[in-house]
Amino acid sequence: MSTRNSKQKNKIKNELLKVSKRCCFCKVNLNPGNITIEHVIPLSKNGSWHISNLKLSCEHCNFERLDSDFWEFHEKKKAVRDLRKQQIKQKMISE
Protein backbone atom coordinates (compact mmCIF):
# COMPACT_ATOMS: atom_id res chain seq x y z
CA MET A 1 0.00 0.00 0.00
CA SER A 2 1.52 3.33 -1.04
CA THR A 3 -0.74 5.60 0.99
CA ARG A 4 -1.22 5.81 4.73
CA ASN A 5 -4.06 7.23 6.78
CA SER A 6 -3.37 9.85 9.45
CA LYS A 7 -3.48 7.29 12.28
CA GLN A 8 -0.79 5.20 10.57
CA LYS A 9 1.30 8.30 9.82
CA ASN A 10 1.08 9.42 13.47
CA LYS A 11 2.27 5.99 14.59
CA ILE A 12 5.23 6.25 12.19
CA LYS A 13 6.03 9.79 13.38
CA ASN A 14 5.98 8.64 17.01
CA GLU A 15 8.37 5.78 16.22
CA LEU A 16 10.74 8.11 14.35
CA LEU A 17 10.57 10.70 17.15
CA LYS A 18 12.09 8.08 19.46
CA VAL A 19 15.21 8.25 17.27
CA SER A 20 15.42 12.01 16.76
CA LYS A 21 13.33 15.09 17.49
CA ARG A 22 15.18 17.21 14.91
CA CYS A 23 14.73 17.77 11.18
CA CYS A 24 17.01 15.39 9.29
CA PHE A 25 18.12 18.30 7.08
CA CYS A 26 18.31 21.60 8.99
CA LYS A 27 18.33 20.14 12.53
CA VAL A 28 15.57 22.44 13.79
CA ASN A 29 13.60 21.03 16.74
CA LEU A 30 10.41 19.41 15.51
CA ASN A 31 7.02 19.98 17.05
CA PRO A 32 3.60 18.53 16.20
CA GLY A 33 2.84 21.47 13.93
CA ASN A 34 5.86 21.18 11.64
CA ILE A 35 6.64 17.45 11.28
CA THR A 36 6.60 15.75 7.90
CA ILE A 37 7.69 12.27 6.89
CA GLU A 38 10.48 12.08 4.31
CA HIS A 39 11.06 9.07 2.09
CA VAL A 40 14.77 8.57 1.46
CA ILE A 41 13.84 6.71 -1.72
CA PRO A 42 10.62 8.35 -2.94
CA LEU A 43 7.51 6.26 -3.45
CA SER A 44 7.61 7.37 -7.10
CA LYS A 45 10.98 5.61 -7.45
CA ASN A 46 9.86 2.34 -5.83
CA GLY A 47 10.55 3.51 -2.27
CA SER A 48 8.47 2.12 0.55
CA TRP A 49 6.86 3.03 3.84
CA HIS A 50 9.33 0.76 5.64
CA ILE A 51 10.79 2.51 8.69
CA SER A 52 14.31 2.17 7.24
CA ASN A 53 13.26 4.37 4.30
CA LEU A 54 11.73 7.12 6.44
CA LYS A 55 13.09 10.22 8.18
CA LEU A 56 11.42 13.23 9.81
CA SER A 57 11.82 16.73 8.49
CA CYS A 58 10.31 20.15 9.10
CA GLU A 59 7.68 21.41 6.70
CA HIS A 60 10.07 24.04 5.33
CA CYS A 61 12.73 21.51 4.29
CA ASN A 62 10.10 19.10 2.98
CA PHE A 63 8.70 21.84 0.74
CA GLU A 64 12.17 23.04 -0.30
CA ARG A 65 13.35 19.53 -1.20
CA LEU A 66 10.36 18.72 -3.44
CA ASP A 67 11.57 15.87 -5.66
CA SER A 68 15.32 16.36 -5.36
CA ASP A 69 17.55 13.48 -4.28
CA PHE A 70 17.48 12.96 -0.50
CA TRP A 71 21.25 12.68 -0.07
CA GLU A 72 22.08 15.59 -2.40
CA PHE A 73 19.64 17.80 -0.52
CA HIS A 74 21.02 16.56 2.81
CA GLU A 75 24.57 17.55 1.76
CA LYS A 76 23.34 20.95 0.54
CA LYS A 77 21.70 21.67 3.91
CA LYS A 78 24.80 20.42 5.76
CA ALA A 79 26.97 22.81 3.75
CA VAL A 80 24.66 25.70 4.69
CA ARG A 81 24.80 24.72 8.39
CA ASP A 82 28.61 24.46 8.28
CA LEU A 83 28.88 27.89 6.62
CA ARG A 84 26.63 29.45 9.28
CA LYS A 85 28.75 27.94 12.06
CA GLN A 86 31.89 29.30 10.44
CA GLN A 87 30.36 32.78 10.09
CA ILE A 88 29.29 32.78 13.75
CA LYS A 89 32.78 31.71 14.83
CA GLN A 90 34.35 34.47 12.74
CA LYS A 91 32.01 37.05 14.21
CA MET A 92 32.76 35.91 17.77
CA ILE A 93 36.52 36.07 17.13
CA SER A 94 36.32 39.57 15.66
CA GLU A 95 34.30 40.99 18.57
Side-chain angles (χ1 to χ4, degrees):
M1 179 190 271
S2 63
T3 60
R4 294 284 185 261
N5 65 37
S6 62
K7 188 175 181 179
Q8 291 168 318
K9 286 181 182 179
N10 284 335
K11 184 177 179 182
I12 291 168
K13 286 178 186 178
N14 288 334
E15 286 300 311
L16 291 170
L17 281 168
K18 291 176 184 176
V19 176
S20 178
K21 292 179 173 46
R22 293 182 176 265
C23 173
C24 64
F25 298 120
C26 71
K27 305 303 182 202
V28 69
N29 288 325
L30 296 170
N31 62 60
N34 76 346
I35 296 175
T36 60
I37 298 173
E38 287 288 335
H39 291 83
V40 176
I41 301 170
L43 295 174
S44 63
K45 295 181 181 174
N46 296 321
S48 71
W49 278 94
H50 190 272
I51 198 82
S52 65
N53 188 49
L54 303 174
K55 304 280 185 191
L56 293 178
S57 72
C58 67
E59 287 182 334
H60 176 79
C61 286
N62 179 270
F63 180 78
E64 189 179 342
R65 176 183 170 213
L66 293 175
D67 63 351
S68 62
D69 179 79
F70 179 91
W71 296 110
E72 287 176 11
F73 188 76
H74 187 273
E75 286 303 309
K76 174 185 164 188
K77 293 301 269 190
K78 182 183 181 311
V80 169
R81 285 193 319 270
D82 291 348
L83 179 61
R84 284 185 188 147
K85 286 179 188 176
Q86 185 180 13
Q87 289 171 338
I88 290 168
K89 258 187 193 176
Q90 293 285 337
K91 187 175 180 182
M92 290 174 68
I93 290 170
S94 66
E95 289 180 347

